[in-house]
């Protein structure tokens, strides 16, 4: 084996270690960018709409998703180059984070739908209550007229 080949192998090993470190760093950053569990669970609002808006804001995972994307990009390059001795742990971590991000994104969509629906529901219920009050007032007037 020539000296340049040995040097190339050393460089490849070094590059593989750096790639793994990059993947692990992005996975750590993704975990750090996930919503805080307390922010998702606890609410500080005066009404349902305030709670929903706060929850929707806390379910933002764009930063975490971008870090997972970067981790996956470097993982795929390293995997295709067969640079990782033990790629299974990285693959499992990426899959776990992708599943968690998907769950949070689905929750974000559901909360968004509720955020849009609740004011409409309140308006419809207000209209129905006003119609019921008006009908009740009309009935009271009719009864008063019959008694006279």
């Amino acid at each position: 084996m020539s000296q340049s080949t040995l040097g190339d192998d050393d460089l490849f090993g070094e590059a593989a270690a750096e790639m793994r470190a990059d993947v692990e760093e992005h996975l750590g950053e993704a975990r750090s960018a996930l919503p805080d569990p307390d922010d998702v669970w606890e609410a500080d609002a005066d009404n349902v709409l305030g709670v929903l808006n706060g929850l929707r804001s806390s379910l933002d995972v764009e930063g975490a998703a971008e870090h997972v994307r970067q981790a996956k990009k470097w993982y795929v390059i390293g995997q295709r180059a067969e640079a990782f001795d033990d790629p299974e742990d990285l693959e499992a971590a990426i899959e776990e984070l992708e599943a968690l991000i998907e769950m949070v994104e689905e929750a974000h969509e559901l909360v968004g739908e509720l955020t849009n629906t609740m004011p409409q529901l309140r308006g419809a219920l207000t209209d129905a209550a006003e119609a019921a009050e008006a009908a009740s007032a009309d009935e009271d007037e009719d009864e008063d007229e019959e008694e006279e």
Side-chain angles (χ1 to χ4, degrees), residues 11 21 28 37 55 57 64 77 85 107 117 127 143:
L11 290 174
L55 180 57
S57 294
I77 292 170
D85 291 332
T117 301
D127 292 347
E143 287 175 14

Side-chain angles (χ1 to χ4, degrees), residues 132-148:
E133 287 177 19
S136 178
D138 288 345
E139 286 177 16
D140 289 345
E141 282 181 20
D142 289 344
E143 287 175 14
D144 288 344
E145 287 176 5
E146 287 178 12
E147 288 177 10
E148 289 176 7

